[in-house]
Amino acid sequence: MTRIGKFGKTHGVNGEINLLLDIDVDFDECNFILSSVDGLFVPFEIDSVRYRGDYVVLVSFCRMNDKDLHSLVNQDAFVDDCYVIESDEDELSPAFYVGYTLVDSQGKKLGVVDDYDDSTANILFSVDGHLVPTAALEVHNLITESKTIVCSIPEGLLDL
């Protein structure tokens, strides 16, 4: 099995949940997504999948209602390795950076990436409730062990 991402919030009232993808998956062939429930991997049968950007899909599962979906929020999602689409790109999805702390070159904490919006060509990070265009970030270092991005942000951007 391969971890493909993490479930986000439920969406609407029609039994859908956001799935924040870290890698590409062939949902045309994949029938089940697995998640850990009480320490055991449980398969959830896919009813439908709708893309909501490059790295977010809205998933509905057979025999699950809105109330059932709440147990999946913030849980990791997995599929069988054969459904993972290999990519030649070296680029990470915006979902990868959720939970990373932005700090300036002096080590001052600027905020935490708590969400993102990739519905347009200008990807935005939500940093403690402020929208920050990723194009405005000048990244100096990415430290995966501590989930830290050392960067420069135009002055005043986080004050808007």
Side-chain angles (χ1 to χ4, degrees):
M1 284 189 298
T2 299
R3 182 186 177 282
I4 60 168
K6 187 174 222 161
F7 289 107
K9 299 180 278 187
T10 58
H11 179 80
V13 294
N14 295 324
E16 293 178 310
I17 189 167
N18 285 287
L19 176 54
L20 311 171
L21 296 172
D22 292 334
I23 58 177
D24 290 329
V25 176
D26 183 0
F27 285 111
D28 291 333
E29 298 295 323
C30 183
N31 295 318
F32 292 91
I33 295 176
L34 294 96
S35 190
S36 179
V37 177
D38 295 330
L40 299 171
F41 283 108
V42 176
F44 296 94
E45 186 177 3
I46 299 171
D47 182 38
S48 69
V49 173
R50 290 190 302 138
Y51 281 86
R52 192 176 166 217
D54 291 337
Y55 303 104
V56 178
V57 292
L58 296 174
V59 182
S60 65
F61 295 107
C62 298
R63 298 174 296 283
M64 286 190 78
N65 60 34
D66 286 335
K67 187 177 179 181
D68 298 331
L69 290 175
H70 286 286
S71 65
L72 293 177
V73 172
N74 292 323
Q75 297 295 316
D76 289 330
F78 300 84
V79 297
D80 190 289
D81 296 339
C82 67
Y83 301 116
V84 174
I85 298 173
E86 295 297 323
S87 175
D88 294 333
E89 294 181 17
D90 219 12
E91 185 178 319
L92 296 170
S93 81
F96 175 83
Y97 301 102
V98 172
Y100 271 68
T101 301
L102 300 180
V103 298
D104 65 15
S105 55
Q106 285 77 39
K108 178 184 171 198
K109 181 180 173 181
L110 302 171
V112 176
V113 177
D114 51 35
D115 203 358
Y116 66 92
D117 179 356
D118 68 345
S119 60
T120 67
N122 296 320
I123 297 172
L124 303 171
F125 281 157
S126 173
V127 179
D128 294 339
H130 301 299
L131 294 178
V132 177
T134 57
L137 295 175
E138 184 180 335
V139 177
H140 305 293
N141 196 5
L142 179 70
I143 308 166
T144 55
E145 297 82 27
S146 62
K147 295 187 88 170
T148 303
I149 301 172
V150 180
C151 64
S152 298
I153 294 178
E155 192 172 323
L157 187 62
L158 293 176
D159 297 329
L160 297 176

